[in-house]
Amino acid sequence: MAKTVTISPLTRIEGHLAIHTETEAVADSKKVKITEARCEGEMFRGIETILQGRDPLDAQQITQRICGVCPISHGMASLMAQEMAYGIAPAKNGRLAQNLILGANYLQSHILHFYHLSALDFVDIKAILKYNGPDTTLKSLRAWVENAVSSNSVFPAAPFLPRYEVNQYVPGDQENWRLISNYLKALKMRSVAHEMCAVFAAKMPHSTSLVPTGVTGEISLERILCYKSRLDKLTEFIETVYLPDLILAAKAFPDYWNIGASYGNYLSFGSFRMEEKAGPDAQKFFPAGAIVNGKLESVDTDKIREYVGHSHYSSPSGLHPYEGQTTPSPEKGYSWLKAPRYDGAPMEVGPLARVMVAYQTRGFEWLKKEVDDTLASAGVKLEQLNSVLGRHLTRGLEAKWICTQLYNWLNELEIGSPAAKEFSIPQTGKGFGLVEAPRGALGHWLTIENHKIKNYQCVVPTTWNCSARDDKGQPGIVEKALEGTVIEDPKQPIEAGRIVRSFDPCIACAVH
């Protein structure tokens, strides 16, 4: 007999998301298997409409407010769209400073995702109640949890409790104590990453220094040393704590190399400009590319369309972002997320997509070798990266690679040289900015008329991943990844939660 299994709200993500699934019984057991899923974004914001009629220079500030976790990505996409519309290119110091700001934001976001959003799906937090070691921080945490539970509050010891009471957590008290301790260390590392970002961004979140062609302020030795001292701490944490903890989780849950696969289509816009060039053809540290049906091709933005056949919008369906409209219609569809498609195909975006595209791109043999070596040590195949564990692993590897490259960009800065260029806003213009946010491919499309914004559209990573069905009825990426998943206990669908969180959803971004 069919049974509906719902997670509403899905916690430990940014924004408001509900997951509704239809299931069928698994023979001779209490288990069920998901046959159909729906991702429902449950709020509307309308930032694209707010931008209409404003000064184009407002865009990089307003669009950063789309997200408090990845504001830099939105700021960068906006700047790049403006640069194309204005016909200008970044200054060398400006490009490098922007990369340093964006890289720091990546590290903060990746650490947040694993430890503070996803880890509690794998860690037995109640193991802290048995802790009897010398660590004063863990003893304080144990006392807090004990007091919170005994208080009989509705949500004791949040965000740790309540939780699903299943027998599917990392085994062993010592292992869980280690992961809980590192959860707390990760809070400090996120603060360090924010400080590092603010060295050139002026503040975080929502940088005030980002401008077309670069950043405000001077490049000084003091700033470089402030950034480097924090990068040293983050590099050590990622290499000695984050990556080993990923390996621990993977060993404890080997089945998740085979759970949560999407279509196998991947899209990357490329990220971190490696030359002073405007537009999508600039060389990037992570390359641009689209993999459709296993074949790599160059990104063609003309193939991007947004569909609203199952979304809460009455705008025409299938519009290119330059012509995009945002007309809310709450009575229509089942989600506030549109359905972006590339040449009609649903595309997964994010760290896994970036790695898969780079893996097939000429000139990235260093990345291919490290991926191959890591997979060999784990005893899994390349195609198994299309999974819950694959998304976690590629996020961790990416953090390591970014740390290494950040040192290079620091060394390339020229003390005392300008970090931005003079420019003027044309009466009319069009431009788009493509960047990789921590969660995946992000594009901003801008049209200027009479020196003001005529139209502005954002196509955001989680809109790709958590989209509603399109007009053909094709499920979105997360909807597809949930299909076929076996749930041990329909009342505690932790398996579905692990799949969805492996994409690091940001519904605040997705509904923008």
Side-chain angles (χ1 to χ4, degrees):
M1 180 178 177
K3 181 181 181 66
T4 300
V5 175
T6 296
I7 308 177
S8 181
L10 184 80
T11 57
R12 284 185 277 112
I13 65 167
E14 290 85 23
H16 305 281
L17 176 68
I19 301 295
H20 299 281
T21 69
E22 299 300 323
T23 69
E24 63 183 16
V26 176
D28 302 321
S29 73
K30 296 180 180 180
K31 302 176 184 178
V32 296
K33 183 169 69 173
I34 296 174
T35 58
E36 183 179 309
R38 290 187 302 167
C39 285
E40 299 187 7
E42 297 182 316
M43 67 177 179
F44 172 74
R45 300 178 72 194
I47 287 179
E48 294 160 329
T49 303
I50 292 170
L51 285 165
Q52 293 176 7
R54 299 187 71 103
D55 188 309
L57 289 175
D58 290 347
Q60 74 261 25
Q61 290 302 321
I62 293 174
T63 58
Q64 284 191 72
R65 271 67 185 175
I66 288 174
C67 183
V69 177
C70 56
I72 302 304
S73 306
H74 286 287
M76 285 295 303
S78 180
L79 296 179
M80 293 166 75
Q82 290 179 63
E83 288 171 357
M84 183 184 291
Y86 305 164
I88 56 178
K92 180 180 178 181
N93 268 354
R95 171 183 64 83
L96 294 169
Q98 288 177 351
N99 285 349
L100 292 165
I101 293 168
L102 181 59
N105 193 214
Y106 262 75
L107 299 181
Q108 181 274 142
S109 181
H110 286 358
I111 292 169
L112 163 68
H113 172 253
F114 180 70
Y115 285 100
H116 306 131
L117 303 182
S118 291
L120 295 180
D121 287 334
F122 301 97
V123 175
D124 181 8
I125 192 64
K126 287 192 173 179
I128 195 64
L129 297 174
K130 295 183 282 183
Y131 182 73
N132 56 5
D135 189 309
T136 56
T137 302
L138 289 182
K139 287 196 290 187
S140 296
L141 180 62
R142 182 194 66 200
W144 173 70
V145 172
E146 288 173 340
N147 291 335
V149 171
S150 64
S151 70
N152 295 318
S153 62
V154 177
F155 298 111
F160 299 135
L161 301 173
R163 65 167 194 177
Y164 289 133
E165 296 298 333
V166 296
N167 296 318
Q168 296 181 31
Y169 295 107
V170 170
D173 290 340
Q174 293 287 344
E175 289 77 6
N176 281 287
W177 294 339
R178 166 184 146 185
L179 290 168
I180 294 168
S181 176
N182 291 340
Y183 176 106
L184 300 174
K185 291 176 183 177
L187 289 170
K188 296 180 180 178
M189 289 299 103
R190 285 185 59 212
S191 178
V192 170
H194 271 317
E195 292 172 359
M196 188 168 85
C197 190
V199 169
F200 296 108
K203 73 180 190 72
M204 273 298 290
H206 312 318
S207 167
T208 53
S209 76
L210 292 174
V211 292
T213 75
V215 298
T216 60
E218 295 183 354
I219 303 301
S220 65
L221 179 60
E222 180 184 11
R223 284 186 169 185
I224 292 172
L225 294 177
C226 284
Y227 191 101
K228 184 180 181 300
S229 66
R230 289 160 175 81
L231 178 56
D232 290 342
K233 294 177 183 178
L234 284 164
T235 300
E236 181 181 12
F237 177 81
I238 287 165
E239 292 182 353
T240 64
V241 180
Y242 181 15
L243 287 171
D245 284 352
L246 280 174
I247 294 170
L248 173 61
K251 289 181 178 179
F253 297 88
D255 290 348
Y256 279 82
W257 288 112
N258 303 304
I259 293 174
S262 69
Y263 294 92
N265 297 330
Y266 303 104
L267 177 66
S268 170
F269 287 158
S271 197
F272 300 106
R273 291 185 284 190
M274 301 294 283
E275 58 181 339
E276 287 73 65
K277 184 177 179 181
D281 296 331
Q283 183 184 357
K284 308 283 185 66
F285 178 66
F286 290 121
I291 297 176
V292 184
N293 299 323
K295 183 178 179 181
L296 177 67
E297 62 180 63
S298 299
V299 173
D300 181 354
T301 57
D302 289 340
K303 293 182 178 180
I304 297 173
R305 295 289 186 276
E306 288 192 293
Y307 297 90
V308 296
H310 293 272
S311 305
H312 297 316
Y313 300 97
S314 58
S315 323
S317 198
L319 295 177
H320 185 272
Y322 267 138
E323 286 73 46
Q325 300 176 23
T326 305
T327 309
S329 182
E331 71 282 356
K332 177 179 170 290
Y334 65 84
S335 176
W336 284 108
L337 278 69
K338 297 179 182 179
R341 297 293 184 262
Y342 182 83
D343 203 16
M347 305 292 286
E348 178 169 347
V349 302
L352 173 58
R354 287 192 286 270
V355 167
M356 297 302 277
V357 167
Y359 190 92
Q360 291 194 31
T361 300
R362 185 177 301 174
F364 286 82
E365 285 73 22
W366 63 270
L367 181 147
K368 184 176 185 296
K369 182 180 186 305
E370 184 149 4
V371 170
D372 286 341
D373 290 347
T374 303
L375 292 175
S377 66
V380 297
K381 300 177 180 178
L382 179 66
E383 54 267 28
Q384 289 177 279
L385 284 178
N386 185 7
S387 64
V388 169
L389 287 180
R391 294 183 190 100
H392 285 294
L393 176 64
T394 52
R395 196 172 276 107
L397 287 174
E398 183 175 75
K400 175 186 173 184
W401 299 331
I402 288 172
C403 280
T404 299
Q405 185 58 30
L406 289 174
Y407 285 107
N408 295 332
W409 287 325
L410 272 180
N411 291 334
E412 292 175 34
L413 287 170
E414 297 175 354
I415 296 173
S417 295
K421 297 178 181 179
E422 296 284 343
F423 62 87
S424 59
I425 299 173
Q427 182 176 358
T428 61
K430 292 176 68 175
F432 60 88
L434 305 180
V435 70
E436 283 290 309
R439 289 160 183 77
L442 169 65
H444 286 204
W445 278 260
L446 163 69
T447 303
I448 298 171
E449 191 174 276
N450 295 323
H451 301 287
K452 302 293 184 182
I453 296 173
K454 179 182 179 182
N455 197 32
Y456 204 104
Q457 288 287 307
C458 309
V459 183
V460 181
T462 299
T463 318
W464 287 99
N465 285 337
C466 290
S467 79
R469 281 162 163 69
D470 57 30
D471 296 19
K472 295 180 181 179
Q474 293 181 106
I477 293 296
V478 169
E479 293 177 336
K480 181 67 174 179
L482 287 165
E483 291 179 3
T485 302
V486 174
I487 306 296
E488 294 271 347
D489 180 356
K491 295 181 179 180
Q492 302 188 92
I494 192 170
E495 299 89 349
R498 287 172 176 156
I499 292 170
V500 179
R501 290 192 188 93
S502 74
F503 291 89
D504 194 8
C506 180
I507 305 304
C509 275
V511 299
H512 50 272

